[in-house]
Amino acid sequence: MTSSATRRENDLWLLETLVPKTAVNNLSVVFEVTGRLSAGTLHRALDDVVRRHRALRTVARVGERGLELDVREDVEITLDVHRVEDEPAVGEERLRRCIAQPFALEGGPLLRAALFSGTERDTVCLVAHHLVFDAMSGGVVLQDLVTAYEARAAGASLPDTFAEGLWLPEREPSAESLEFWKRHLDGYRADGLGLWCDKDGDPAVTLAGDVHHHVLSPEADAAVTRLRRALRAPKAVVLLSAYYLTLALHGAGPDLVVGVPASTRDTASQQAVGYHVNMLPLRSRLGADRTVREVATEVRAAFFEALAHPDVPAETFLPQDRGDRPAWRNTLFRHVFNYVPTDFRNTFTLAGLPAVQRLVENGTSKYDLEFFASESADTALLSVLFNTQVLDAADVTALVARYDELLARLPEELDTPVGRLSCWSGADRSAVPAAEPADGPDSLYEAVRRTAESAPERIAVRTRAGDLDYAALWRHVTAEQAPALDDERAAGAVTALRALRQDTGAAPAEGEASGAPAATVARRVAATAVGLARAVGAEPGTTVRWAAPAGSPESTTELFLALACGGTAAGTDDAKDAAVLLCTPHQAADLPGAAGPLTGRKVLVAGEPLPPAVAARLLAEGAEVHTGYRPEGEPHWVAVRRVTTAEDAQRMGGQPLAGAAPSVTGPDARPLPPGLRGRLALADEGAPRLTAQTARWRTDGTLEVFGATPARRAELALLERPEVAAAAAAPVPAPDGSDTAVLTAWVVAADGPGRDDRALADLLLAHCAATLPAAAVPEALVTVEALPLKDGHPDRERLAAEHTGRPADGGEGSGEPAADEELTASLVRVWGEFLDTAGLDADANFFTEGGHSLLGAQLVQRVKKATGAALRLADLFANPTPRAFAALLSGPEHRVTGPVV
């Protein structure tokens, strides 16, 4: 009996078209037996179980119009037997590889089995496709397999109860349930699903997943008991409420939906095997003013109402057209909570042999984050699945620890507003550096005074006009009237230090306005200068090259760094003995040059990311390389770190400098713990001042800063590639004269002339597309021999003026390379056929013209069959027009020529 798949079943298939050759829909039942099982008896028992359950005799195949299911009278299940040498039992990695083998939807069985025989224990691994199986099915099948194996092993007949298993056909949702869910989701906008620890960008989908296991602490477990009484709620609601709150404290919400799986079986059909589970979209409002008690009360009500209406799958409320967003991500929710009041490490006996279940995941994750809570004898176990494209393992571990500690505190905070709950764990507080007494401008002023007293004849400033020792410098700084000095550099040094006098209680001299921009620059640079000298290990008496343009923040930094360590600021012509060289990455690329050999010298780079190729050369020449972070628009360094490998050169941030007193804050201006991205704030005369930069604390206590604009993010991504020696990016006016801007990137290739510019551009643009959000991917890329500089930094305005919109090959526009005209024309016809629309052209967007995911999967299947190209549904989402799809097909990956027939 053949039938077309339901929408739920088609959605499973669509997911596989996005990530072919993966186990995204594979479920497993794994158990381990102490002793030896009979492979023959086990195989016969499996046949008994398959004959009993109609779902296990169901096969699937993909036809021209989509997925089709067929129930067979008999299906032969294979049992693969493997001998595990020199190990008591099979390891988890080998089991995971077994589970990760995909099913081909070509009419074969959707269940398979393997027996792994170790030296002491045998392990059975059953793998089933989600089309015919769910978590509750696993318990039923395991129970039936035990019954059948024991009967076969004893030579007995199967019990009378082992007749045809229950079959639960798909039921249409009731009108009452549909109405409930429409009310429940009325007005919901899924714009609060992201977490502040999510990775950047929407990379190509793999659904790669991992799992983190956690046992609730005794404190959290005791809190659950207290909360159940206080809230009159079951354990599932308590744990789910804490999950909502944890997500909110990590950036989700305030209007938030979490997926909660629920069985559609009624009381009489609990033993039915098949795909009988719906994901229910539970909604909670987590506004900052709502109390914990109010949130938990709402969650309790929603939970029980949802379980009373489980017959409506969440897919009912998903729009078919998802062409404007990553196709693999659920548009209602990204986070799932599942509670099962049993221990999945279930122990039992099989023909007298001790046995225990093992929980092994398939290595994928459909959702960003899934909390799976189950019970052990004395506490709750959390198996936390996460998508590794979205979340790092370290961030998930930290989130779970915060969940545990939050749960332990909640009994005392039931009437606390959500906006006042703390997200910090004990580990977080240990990781972020304690707030030390901040260095201020007076710390530099005092450093100069101490050197003037202890080493008055030491040279403070060396210029072309002569030397200025510390004694003379201090006299000029403390004089009632500003001295008249002929040398511009020496005069600048005195002026900068005199600007700091007000911070020591001295009144500024007449004509010296303490609030002038130059004075503000001097105070901010001075506040971090002593900390910078300590961080890079500048010894007393160190000579620092003083080469930046006079009056610039960079020049002030060089001067104050030298003075902070009681050293000498030396002009460019006299700096061959300088132990410290400050420069931009573009200036670093020209080292050593006139600066002389670099062995043993400190090279401090700030202002832009340091290209790995430049870092590698500096390290190879013996330099001690440090990168500093100076926020765009700020005069002073905020953090610094030593670079020991070229691969680590580009990361912005480092050890925070005390004088900057940086912090990372959320939208409510509260400090965020490690791993969570927020706005970088700097100390400004005692009050935090927000910058435009995004940053986060790392667990080692260092600061990591991210590009604030799409252009800066594009530059960072380009500099990750070894083929790039330098890069700049900026929005420029579109070539067609429209108001839209085109993000354009310019790169200097590391290998110089003779390269293939088009191939390089394709490589770099593909890298950006795979690692950046769409807004930060350059639309045009230009290769140049060198970047024009202004004050040591790329002159982006000049680049934009000279190269507006010009692509790497010098042609017109920056679109896809021209595809075969016949191929493009044939795809226009295919688009028209599937969309049932006449008059389409090569730029018709499949999704905006009325296409949806299911229709798109059928189109991809058609083109795949006609061309033999290894296509995925994701390819259509990324290339939704005939012209773009033709460029993909004719490109180097597929090399299709001629029309699609």
Side-chain angles (χ1 to χ4, degrees):
M1 180 178 65
T2 302
S3 61
S4 297
T6 65
R7 178 169 179 185
R8 290 193 316 141
E9 293 164 339
N10 265 317
D11 274 1
L12 295 181
W13 168 57
L14 288 174
L15 201 57
E16 292 192 14
T17 65
L18 285 170
V19 282
K21 300 181 181 179
T22 65
V24 63
N25 287 318
N26 287 13
L27 303 176
S28 64
V29 176
V30 181
F31 63 90
E32 188 175 278
V33 176
T34 301
R36 188 69 65 225
L37 293 174
S38 164
T41 303
L42 180 62
H43 201 171
R44 289 192 295 274
L46 278 169
D47 288 339
D48 293 332
V49 175
V50 171
R51 280 193 294 270
R52 181 169 194 240
H53 294 288
R54 182 174 174 177
L56 302 183
R57 292 184 274 112
T58 300
V59 299
R61 63 166 52 87
V62 179
E64 282 288 329
R65 307 308 295 180
L67 186 67
E68 298 173 346
L69 302 178
D70 187 19
V71 180
R72 301 283 177 82
E73 287 298 321
D74 191 31
V75 171
E76 184 177 348
I77 303 298
T78 60
L79 173 66
D80 295 327
V81 181
H82 306 274
R83 180 70 61 187
V84 181
E85 302 292 345
D86 303 324
E87 293 289 341
V90 66
E92 183 161 325
E93 183 54 38
R94 191 167 179 184
L95 287 171
R96 185 174 291 192
R97 289 199 303 269
C98 175
I99 296 168
Q101 292 299 313
F103 288 94
L105 301 182
E106 299 173 350
L110 298 178
L111 174 74
R112 64 173 183 265
L115 172 64
F116 296 89
S117 292
T119 57
E120 298 176 8
R121 297 184 295 277
D122 279 3
T123 303
V124 176
C125 180
L126 305 180
V127 185
H129 195 285
H130 201 2
L131 284 167
V132 299
F133 212 73
D134 59 18
M136 286 189 67
S137 299
V140 176
V141 167
L142 177 59
Q143 184 181 26
D144 286 352
L145 185 61
V146 170
T147 299
Y149 184 92
E150 290 182 337
R152 293 294 187 182
S157 300
L158 293 170
D160 294 339
T161 56
F162 209 87
E164 176 75 19
L166 286 171
W167 168 252
L168 188 62
E170 185 83 13
R171 291 180 291 190
E172 289 296 319
S174 69
E176 179 188 355
S177 292
L178 285 169
E179 182 59 30
F180 163 75
W181 286 109
K182 286 179 182 177
R183 288 197 311 271
H184 184 68
L185 296 173
D186 184 44
Y188 172 68
R189 291 177 56 85
D191 52 8
L193 298 179
L195 301 182
W196 293 326
C197 50
D198 286 351
K199 293 181 182 178
D200 208 9
D202 294 315
V205 57
T206 66
L207 296 186
D210 203 349
V211 62
H212 170 70
H213 298 290
H214 178 81
V215 179
L216 278 189
S217 67
E219 295 80 7
D221 205 50
V224 170
T225 302
R226 294 175 60 192
L227 290 166
R228 291 180 63 182
R229 291 194 297 265
L231 299 171
R232 297 182 179 179
K235 191 169 189 174
V237 168
V238 170
L239 296 174
L240 175 57
S241 298
Y243 186 49
Y244 274 109
L245 293 169
T246 300
L247 293 173
L249 294 174
H250 284 74
D255 195 359
L256 182 62
V257 166
V258 167
V260 176
S263 173
T264 59
R265 300 167 176 84
D266 57 25
T267 305
S269 58
Q270 293 297 299
Q271 297 298 304
V273 169
Y275 178 24
H276 303 308
V277 63
N278 279 334
M279 193 66 75
L280 307 181
L282 260 66
R283 181 183 186 183
S284 181
R285 295 159 183 82
L286 298 148
D289 295 334
R290 301 198 76 195
T291 66
V292 171
R293 191 186 303 275
E294 289 170 340
V295 170
T297 300
E298 181 185 51
V299 171
R300 179 183 62 188
F303 182 80
F304 286 119
E305 285 186 294
L307 292 185
H309 302 90
D311 52 327
V312 181
E315 291 85 355
T316 303
F317 301 100
L318 293 177
Q320 283 276 18
D321 179 8
R322 304 180 203 173
D324 61 343
R325 65 191 74 210
W328 59 278
R329 302 188 90 172
N330 190 293
T331 51
L332 284 177
F333 54 86
R334 297 181 190 170
H335 312 104
V336 169
F337 178 86
N338 192 2
Y339 175 77
V340 179
T342 58
D343 187 353
F344 270 80
R345 297 177 302 182
N346 176 36
T347 59
F348 58 98
T349 59
L350 179 58
L353 300 175
V356 62
Q357 275 191 265
R358 294 175 62 175
L359 187 61
V360 184
E361 301 299 335
N362 65 13
T364 68
S365 179
K366 300 178 186 180
Y367 304 100
D368 290 7
L369 188 69
E370 180 177 353
F371 267 40
F372 186 91
S374 60
E375 293 289 333
S376 71
D378 52 1
T379 189
L381 305 172
L382 295 179
S383 293
V384 182
L385 281 70
F386 60 96
N387 189 302
T388 56
Q389 287 183 278
V390 179
L391 293 164
D392 279 324
D395 290 328
V396 172
T397 301
L399 182 147
V400 174
R402 294 177 195 128
Y403 172 86
D404 191 299
E405 294 194 25
L406 174 66
L407 191 54
R409 296 193 307 268
L410 282 185
E412 313 302 330
E413 298 192 272
L414 285 174
D415 297 313
T416 301
V418 172
R420 291 177 55 192
L421 292 174
S422 173
C423 186
W424 290 66
S425 69
D428 294 333
R429 287 184 283 273
S430 299
V432 175
E436 301 175 1
D439 293 326
D442 59 317
S443 61
L444 175 68
Y445 195 83
E446 287 301 309
V448 175
R449 181 188 61 78
R450 288 193 298 270
T451 307
E453 292 177 354
S454 62
E457 296 180 358
R458 184 180 298 167
I459 302 302
V461 175
R462 180 185 302 158
T463 70
R464 295 182 182 90
D467 296 340
L468 190 65
D469 62 27
Y470 272 88
L473 176 64
W474 188 247
R475 283 197 305 274
H476 294 322
V477 169
T478 57
E480 286 298 321
Q481 296 295 324
L485 299 176
D486 294 334
D487 185 75
E488 182 183 10
R489 288 265 177 183
V494 172
T495 300
L497 285 170
R498 288 179 67 86
L500 306 181
R501 294 182 68 199
Q502 64 167 336
D503 296 291
T504 66
E510 184 177 350
E512 294 179 331
S514 62
T520 300
V521 168
R523 285 197 299 273
R524 290 181 180 171
V525 175
T528 58
V530 174
L532 178 59
R534 286 197 300 262
V536 301
E539 300 289 338
T542 294
T543 298
V544 178
R545 184 177 69 168
W546 193 16
S552 67
E554 292 85 354
S555 175
T556 305
T557 301
E558 292 172 334
L559 169 66
F560 284 2
L561 174 60
L563 300 180
C565 64
T568 301
T572 304
D573 294 342
D574 304 306
K576 286 187 171 57
D577 62 339
V580 179
L581 308 173
L582 276 76
C583 53
T584 68
H586 301 279
Q587 292 166 339
D590 294 330
L591 290 176
L598 298 179
T599 302
R601 302 168 80 180
K602 300 179 190 293
V603 177
L604 278 57
V605 184
E608 308 280 345
L610 178 62
V614 176
R617 187 172 55 75
L618 295 177
L619 292 169
E621 294 194 20
E624 180 183 307
V625 181
H626 298 260
T627 57
Y629 175 65
R630 181 169 66 84
E632 197 167 337
E634 298 290 338
H636 59 298
W637 289 29
V638 169
V640 67
R641 67 189 185 90
R642 183 170 178 180
V643 174
T644 56
T645 64
E647 294 75 17
D648 193 40
Q650 197 188 357
R651 179 165 62 85
M652 296 192 299
Q655 195 67 38
L657 301 177
S663 60
V664 178
T665 64
D668 58 359
R670 294 204 304 165
L672 294 178
L676 301 193
R677 298 188 189 199
R679 291 278 294 279
L680 177 66
L682 305 176
D684 190 4
E685 300 182 0
R689 176 170 50 85
L690 287 177
T691 71
Q693 272 69 44
T694 301
R696 69 176 176 184
W697 290 110
R698 294 165 63 94
T699 54
D700 61 1
T702 60
L703 197 64
E704 183 174 11
V705 184
F706 305 91
T709 65
R712 295 299 171 272
R713 296 165 87 174
E715 291 173 358
L716 285 170
L718 290 166
L719 288 171
E720 290 174 353
R721 299 294 308 186
E723 298 87 356
V724 175
V732 299
D736 60 7
S738 64
D739 293 336
T740 59
V742 176
L743 182 58
T744 303
W746 298 267
V747 298
V748 177
D751 57 0
R755 62 189 173 268
D756 182 342
D757 283 351
R758 167 57 66 186
L760 178 63
D762 289 344
L763 173 70
L764 297 179
L765 290 174
H767 172 70
C768 290
T771 57
L772 292 171
V777 177
E779 297 178 63
L781 190 142
V782 181
T783 53
V784 294
E785 295 305 317
L787 295 177
L789 301 181
K790 183 178 182 180
D791 295 335
H793 302 283
D795 190 342
R796 297 177 179 86
E797 291 184 8
R798 180 178 167 187
L799 283 167
E802 293 178 353
H803 299 282
T804 300
R806 184 164 60 84
D809 62 359
E812 296 293 328
S814 60
E816 304 88 2
D820 183 284
E821 290 185 8
E822 282 190 327
L823 176 59
T824 303
S826 69
L827 287 174
V828 172
R829 291 192 294 272
V830 172
W831 256 239
E833 176 188 337
F834 275 81
L835 295 171
D836 194 20
T837 302
L840 297 179
D841 59 24
D843 295 311
N845 186 297
F846 181 83
F847 297 100
T848 59
E849 294 290 344
H852 52 74
S853 301
L854 180 56
L855 200 60
Q858 294 166 357
L859 183 149
V860 169
Q861 195 74 14
R862 161 81 172 275
V863 178
K864 182 177 179 180
K865 185 176 180 180
T867 64
L871 297 169
R872 307 180 304 165
L873 180 56
D875 294 326
L876 180 60
F877 281 103
N879 304 275
T881 68
R883 189 188 310 279
F885 209 73
L888 171 72
L889 287 172
S890 61
E893 183 178 356
H894 302 296
R895 301 188 184 281
V896 173
T897 58
V900 173
V901 296

